[in-house]
Amino acid sequence: MKLGSTAVVVTSSSIATLGFPKNYYNKPSWFGQLLKTNMFPHHFPILSSSSSSASISTTTEDSSDAVAAAKPKQQHPWLIVGLGNPGKKYHSTRHNVGFQMVDALADAEGISISGVSFKALFGKGFIGNVPVMFAKPQTFMNASGESVGAIVSYYKIPLKQVLLIYDDLDLPFAKLRLLPKGGHGGHNGMKSVINHFKGNRDFPRLRIGIGRPPGKMDTANFVLRPFTKQEHEELDFMFQQGIEAVRILLLEGLNKSATFVNSTKSMEQLG
């Protein structure tokens, strides 16, 4: 018998392979009689249990490979850290502008930073489809690395996905600068972080300009001064730019984000 243009041989061994009892060929059934009398043409390919098993095994492996390929790879979260000092005494001071930037970003994305973990105020959420963690170390500025290093180590976060946000005396007030890597620039918080990264400086950072102290004012006193009302207005404008810069960084990459940051103008320039 021909099925279409394909011929198949059916034997007793192939019957067993196809699921029939091994002694089916010897039973006086109509199918067995056909085989014994050679009335059923021997044109079917002979199947063996080994070839069948190999076929099933290959199919299973192919299916497993397909499932593995379809399964999305686990995505490492971004860690976004604002540097500052804990306590009301330091709230809204120049040295705490990193805290303020992270607060503004978390508020914009609807993420709470009310948990406490790894010596930091801590929160988790998403920016777009990218998982993020926010941290505000409570170790005081000069020991920030104790907190940041522990988080990175525990979650095994690649350093290229650790963004540090902090104040910078060498940038004009309310000016942003995004860099893929670099030194500490004399910033004690960054010194501590780099030390806990075993000297590795290859992580992005968003620097926020607070300007230089006026006249002969001591730098330490200047960074702990609160912002004026006018400066707060300029900061609020800058925070919106920073929020957009971080979104672009996570969703489109550092180059596009840096281009955006470098092309932004301050409120004073726009006025």
Side-chain angles (χ1 to χ4, degrees), residues 23-237:
N23 61 351
Y24 190 84
Y25 182 83
N26 297 321
K27 287 186 176 182
S29 66
W30 67 270
F31 193 66
Q33 292 302 316
L34 281 175
L35 290 174
K36 284 185 175 181
T37 56
N38 291 323
M39 293 177 63
F40 204 85
H42 291 202
H43 297 298
F44 289 95
I46 297 175
L47 299 176
S48 67
S49 58
S50 60
S51 63
S52 176
S53 299
S55 176
I56 294 171
S57 176
T58 302
T59 303
T60 304
E61 289 175 1
D62 290 345
S63 300
S64 299
D65 290 342
V67 170
K71 185 178 179 180
K73 292 183 179 179
Q74 185 177 6
Q75 189 174 11
H76 286 289
W78 271 80
L79 174 62
I80 301 175
V81 181
L83 298 184
N85 286 307
K88 291 182 179 180
K89 177 181 177 181
Y90 302 101
H91 183 68
S92 294
T93 61
R94 285 165 167 74
H95 218 23
N96 272 33
V97 74
F99 275 7
Q100 295 177 59
M101 179 74 247
V102 166
D103 285 337
L105 182 59
D107 287 344
E109 300 297 338
I111 299 172
S112 171
I113 314 180
S114 57
V116 179
S117 192
F118 302 99
K119 300 181 181 180
L121 293 178
F122 198 72
K124 297 180 181 180
F126 286 85
I127 294 181
N129 62 346
V130 178
V132 295
M133 295 186 293
F134 291 113
K136 294 162 57 180
Q138 302 295 292
T139 56
F140 286 94
M141 182 68 82
N142 294 1
S144 298
E146 293 179 16
S147 172
V148 180
I151 298 171
V152 169
S153 176
Y154 182 83
Y155 289 101
K156 297 179 173 57
I157 304 173
L159 291 190
K160 66 180 180 179
Q161 289 181 210
V162 179
L163 175 67
L164 270 289
I165 303 176
Y166 60 98
D167 58 298
D168 193 325
L169 284 162
D170 294 325
L171 286 177
F173 178 74
K175 175 68 178 175
L176 294 173
R177 177 78 53 84
L178 178 66
L179 295 172
K181 59 184 178 179
H184 52 70
H187 192 284
N188 289 331
M190 287 296 287
K191 281 182 184 179
S192 177
V193 171
I194 290 172
N195 286 339
H196 280 80
F197 287 169
K198 299 179 180 179
N200 195 326
R201 304 178 178 190
D202 296 340
F203 56 91
R205 65 282 312 275
L206 181 63
R207 296 155 52 195
I208 301 174
I210 60 172
R212 302 295 304 183
K216 297 181 180 180
M217 180 182 290
D218 180 67
T219 299
N221 291 331
F222 176 71
V223 299
L224 297 179
R225 285 180 61 184
F227 293 109
T228 66
K229 183 178 179 180
Q230 181 180 347
E231 286 174 332
H232 271 297
E233 292 178 0
E234 293 184 55
L235 283 177
D236 289 340
F237 182 81

